[in-house]
Amino acid sequence: METVTSKISTSQLAKAKGLAARNLFNELAEAGYITRDNKEWLLTDIGKAAQGEYKQSSQFGQYIVWPKELEIITAPSFDGKKLSATQISAHFKLTSQKINQILDELGWINKAVKGWKVSQSGSRLGGIQKEDSRTGIPYVVWDETVLMNSSLKHSVNEITGINAEVKSTDNSVSNFRQKFEAKHRSADGHYVRSKAEMLIDNWLYMAGIVHAYERKLPIEEDLYCDFYLPTGKVYIEFWGLEDDPKYANRKKIKQELYAKYGFNLIELNDNDVQNLDDVLPRMLLKFDIKAY
């Protein structure tokens, strides 16, 4: 006869381990067993593999239960080896497909007809191009230091919903955000910081171009763009306060960083915003993005 393992809620498991429930939830999330969706905790494939499952209560609704003897397995170390996407995915408790999507979004690899090719930015970070000896399909391996890269960890945390509240360490950025509150609502629901940014956001939305607002650049420096277009890996900056010396200095620093890393950049000013239908399609076409 098969033994049925009794299971307990996360709060009960925390009590059994002598932990605060909140700390155990965070530990499970960081180990990749659960992920946050708005106010609800959801099981990942890793959590399900650890025999976590959902229970329904008339009083509490849906909740997660675990085996009483659950041991949270931390990510393996790789001791100087070159890591494939599969090994990186094991470290972050994600699928290799999701890791490749993140690396692509960061601009470190590019999609080939089959497989992946390392980009210039990826090469600078230690990415090495490889090819499957049997199929010829290209893939990329990485030095183990990539696991500590702040941009990669930031993107993984964003995708999984861990530490969703981002706090910039750059005081000039923090002060700028406090001074210019994001209170202009664009057509796609983004809240932006100026009417000009709202017009740009609306234009991109109406043109059917997928975009992110205030995306952190995949570099060690604490820099956020105005808009990022995953297709073409293009960044858009709107320069709107050029008479302000502090703003002009911030603009200069950002331009130097874009040039340093060789990112695709579109720069817009007030006059451009008044003529987006003429200006943006031409600028986007330079990066093989068709507006309509």
Side-chain angles (χ1 to χ4, degrees):
M1 181 176 178
E2 188 175 333
T3 302
V4 178
T5 305
S6 60
K7 297 184 179 181
I8 57 178
S9 69
T10 309
S11 298
Q12 290 172 320
L13 182 62
K15 187 175 181 180
K17 289 178 175 288
L19 299 171
R22 180 178 181 182
N23 290 343
L24 181 58
F25 275 105
N26 288 337
E27 186 177 344
L28 288 165
E30 289 174 1
Y33 285 51
I34 56 176
T35 188
R36 191 77 165 172
D37 183 16
N38 293 323
K39 296 182 179 181
E40 185 179 11
W41 287 107
L42 301 177
L43 278 168
T44 65
D45 290 341
I46 296 166
K48 292 175 183 176
Q51 298 182 46
E53 63 181 49
Y54 295 112
K55 291 291 184 182
Q56 196 72 29
S57 165
S58 58
Q59 183 178 359
F60 302 108
Q62 180 176 277
Y63 64 100
I64 299 171
V65 294
W66 307 94
K68 287 183 179 180
E69 65 277 14
L70 177 72
E71 291 185 17
I72 302 172
I73 301 172
T74 55
S77 61
F78 298 101
D79 300 327
K81 296 178 182 178
K82 296 298 180 183
L83 309 182
S84 67
T86 300
Q87 290 172 304
I88 295 173
S89 68
H91 178 82
F92 288 112
K93 302 295 189 295
L94 295 171
T95 65
S96 57
Q97 180 184 20
K98 183 63 68 177
I99 285 296
N100 276 324
Q101 288 173 344
I102 291 173
L103 296 174
D104 180 35
E105 199 272 341
L106 286 169
W108 298 355
I109 58 176
N110 296 312
K111 183 70 174 160
V113 176
K114 283 189 175 181
W116 298 93
K117 292 186 176 180
V118 68
S119 69
Q120 185 177 357
S121 296
S123 294
R124 281 199 297 263
L125 290 166
I128 300 173
Q129 188 69 60
K130 294 285 186 178
E131 184 178 285
D132 188 287
S133 58
R134 295 167 301 168
T135 64
I137 295 175
Y139 65 97
V140 182
V141 295
W142 305 86
D143 188 84
E144 65 175 349
T145 55
V146 76
L147 300 177
M148 302 306 296
N149 183 279
S150 61
S151 296
L152 176 58
K153 291 195 291 185
H154 177 83
S155 290
V156 168
N157 287 344
E158 280 193 332
I159 294 297
T160 57
I162 300 173
N163 301 329
E165 184 179 349
V166 177
K167 294 183 178 179
S168 173
T169 57
D170 185 337
N171 288 332
S172 65
V173 173
S174 298
N175 292 337
F176 178 84
R177 289 177 174 172
Q178 290 173 3
K179 184 176 180 181
F180 299 98
E181 183 183 354
K183 58 184 180 181
H184 298 269
R185 190 176 191 276
S186 58
D188 61 0
H190 285 147
Y191 280 89
V192 298
R193 302 183 189 282
S194 68
K195 183 178 179 181
E197 287 185 341
M198 182 183 70
L199 293 173
I200 296 168
D201 197 299
N202 286 345
W203 192 95
L204 293 170
Y205 174 68
M206 295 305 294
I209 297 174
V210 176
H211 58 283
Y213 178 64
E214 290 194 343
R215 178 82 170 131
K216 187 182 184 304
L217 271 67
I219 57 178
E220 292 300 317
E221 292 89 346
D222 199 14
L223 181 66
Y224 289 76
C225 64
D226 287 338
F227 298 95
Y228 172 66
L229 315 184
T231 301
K233 298 180 178 64
V234 175
Y235 297 89
I236 297 178
E237 289 288 348
F238 166 67
W239 310 119
L241 297 171
E242 302 199 53
D243 293 334
D244 184 329
K246 289 184 179 179
Y247 183 89
N249 182 60
R250 182 167 168 266
K251 172 186 175 182
K252 182 174 181 291
I253 292 171
K254 293 183 80 171
Q255 287 175 321
E256 289 173 350
L257 287 172
Y258 278 115
K260 174 184 175 181
Y261 290 100
F263 291 140
N264 296 330
L265 176 63
I266 289 176
E267 300 179 80
L268 300 173
N269 56 35
D270 284 318
N271 289 334
D272 295 326
V273 172
Q274 302 306 315
N275 299 281
L276 289 175
D277 286 336
D278 296 325
V279 172
L280 262 182
R282 173 170 44 83
M283 291 182 169
L284 290 169
L285 202 56
K286 292 180 180 179
F287 303 107
D288 297 322
I289 300 176
K290 189 176 180 182
Y292 297 105

